[in-house]
Amino acid sequence: MLIQIPPSSACCESEVTPESIYLSRRQLLGAAGVLAAMAAMPGRAQDASVYPNVEPAPAPAWFSEKLASTRWQAVTPGNESTTPFQDATHYNNFYEFGTNKGDPARYAEKMQVEPWTVRIDGEVGKPGTYSVEDLVRPHGLEERIYRLRCVEAWSMVIPWLGFPLAELLKRVEPTSKAKYVSFETRLAPEEMAGVRSGFSLIDWPYVEGLRLDEAMHPLTILAVGMYGRVLPNQNGAPLRLVVPWKYGFKGIKSIVRISLVSEQPPTTWQSIAPEEYGFYSNVNPEVDHPRWSQAHERRLPSGLFSPNIVPTRMFNGYDEVASLYAGLDLRKYY
């Protein structure tokens, strides 16, 4: 794998690791210059001690195998600390399990994630149904520490483990007719109380989509883990999409189907409320939601006396994607 130069949206490792751990590492290394050299290395050693408050979890063999050779990121976004694991895994939107933020963590353990297959079809040269092991095995896992900005105006910073979606798409050989990528979430009413609810407005299964060039961008990944461990069910196990410059609902969870198509595919929230949720859903502080401002966000953890309000940045701070939308009216194509 090629050595990647950190983008302008990234910063130093000291913003990721708890101060005590970071200082002890620094003493061992002896100098800040050594840290800088390590940041340029493609596969420096790292283990779960970097996230000391995260308990290891049972993981399938394919994940453990890949974890041993993971390429760990040496930089994080801005001057920001990663969100505590407890917050990132217990404050979620996953409506298949309920509408309250704690419902996914409370009920998602009922979802069976082994075995798991993903159907890939549409405008591809190699369609088929693939096990998650087959999808992941050809790729090296990387840690990507990204901001996650919810359309509800709260945000987190999460260290994901995954691989670029572009690598998978290249393997299945998109045809010249492929212009968009459509995604579909698992539908299992017996495991998902939210799906069985008579009050849900969602036409299940949950679906999402990207333009092909967005899907092929190097920042777009398929995640199988977070915080150095296997992805929890409530965060979209075993396979979820992460597109850091878009609102969080674009990051579809527990994917069972990926289709390459010639026309813009329907997406769940755009279908429910097109005046509120567009297909693109790029983070944009200048385009408000009809019911609230998008100029600022509440960075978790936050509380009544420490709300932790920060300004929202265009494209969530990932300026390197701006060229994808050159000439596009982002107020119209929101």
Side-chain angles (χ1 to χ4, degrees), residues 16-299:
V16 183
T17 309
E19 184 177 11
S20 60
I21 302 295
Y22 169 71
L23 291 176
S24 66
R25 284 165 59 105
R26 187 174 183 180
Q27 291 169 357
L28 290 172
L29 291 170
V34 178
L35 283 174
M38 287 181 69
M41 293 174 63
R44 63 189 179 86
Q46 181 166 335
D47 57 35
S49 65
V50 175
Y51 302 110
N53 296 321
V54 179
E55 295 183 4
W62 61 263
F63 181 84
S64 301
E65 172 189 330
K66 284 297 179 182
L67 194 63
S69 58
T70 293
R71 296 180 180 275
W72 300 91
Q73 185 166 306
V75 291
T76 51
N79 292 319
E80 299 144 292
S81 299
T82 53
T83 301
F85 180 78
Q86 180 71 12
D87 290 287
T89 56
H90 287 73
Y91 193 90
N92 308 93
N93 288 325
F94 200 163
Y95 291 106
E96 284 82 346
F97 299 101
T99 57
N100 293 326
K101 294 294 187 287
D103 285 346
R106 189 174 297 115
Y107 302 119
E109 64 179 14
K110 297 179 181 178
M111 181 172 62
Q112 299 298 312
V113 297
E114 294 184 68
W116 191 276
T117 59
V118 179
R119 177 181 174 186
I120 301 180
D121 58 14
E123 298 295 341
V124 294
K126 294 181 177 179
T129 299
Y130 300 84
S131 69
V132 67
E133 297 94 323
D134 290 338
L135 290 182
V136 175
R137 190 165 286 121
H139 309 288
L141 293 187
E142 304 173 25
E143 182 172 68
R144 299 289 189 91
I145 304 171
Y146 285 156
R147 301 179 190 91
L148 185 153
R149 171 59 153 84
C150 182
V151 73
E152 298 170 343
W154 54 266
S155 63
M156 301 181 180
V157 177
I158 296 178
W160 304 103
L161 293 171
F163 61 94
L165 174 58
E167 293 184 4
L168 173 60
L169 296 181
K170 290 174 184 176
R171 283 175 54 203
V172 298
E173 300 177 0
T175 73
S176 60
K177 295 181 180 180
K179 306 299 180 185
Y180 295 87
V181 185
S182 176
F183 305 87
E184 182 178 310
T185 293
R186 174 180 170 87
L187 179 59
E190 68 281 4
E191 301 171 0
M192 299 170 166
V195 173
R196 300 193 304 270
S197 171
F199 297 98
S200 175
L201 299 177
I202 294 176
D203 183 16
W204 308 104
Y206 192 98
V207 291
E208 258 303 339
L210 298 172
R211 253 178 18 195
L212 182 60
D213 58 346
E214 295 176 317
M216 297 292 288
H217 193 278
L219 289 179
T220 304
I221 66 169
L222 290 174
V224 296
M226 59 191 294
Y227 294 83
R229 51 156 285 174
V230 69
L231 199 64
N233 283 16
Q234 63 264 34
N235 293 89
L239 188 73
R240 68 165 290 163
L241 179 68
V242 179
V243 193
W245 70 92
K246 294 182 178 289
Y247 290 118
F249 66 85
K250 297 292 288 186
I252 187 169
K253 303 176 179 74
S254 303
I255 298 169
V256 295
R257 186 177 182 184
I258 301 174
S259 303
L260 280 82
V261 295
S262 59
E263 302 293 333
Q264 181 176 302
T267 63
T268 289
W269 285 105
Q270 186 183 28
S271 299
I272 294 172
E275 71 283 358
E276 297 186 10
Y277 308 103
F279 176 81
Y280 284 92
S281 298
N282 294 318
V283 176
N284 189 342
E286 298 179 1
V287 177
D288 291 335
H289 187 280
R291 289 178 281 134
W292 57 79
S293 169
Q294 295 289 20
H296 294 82
E297 62 205 63
R298 177 173 58 91
R299 175 65 51 80

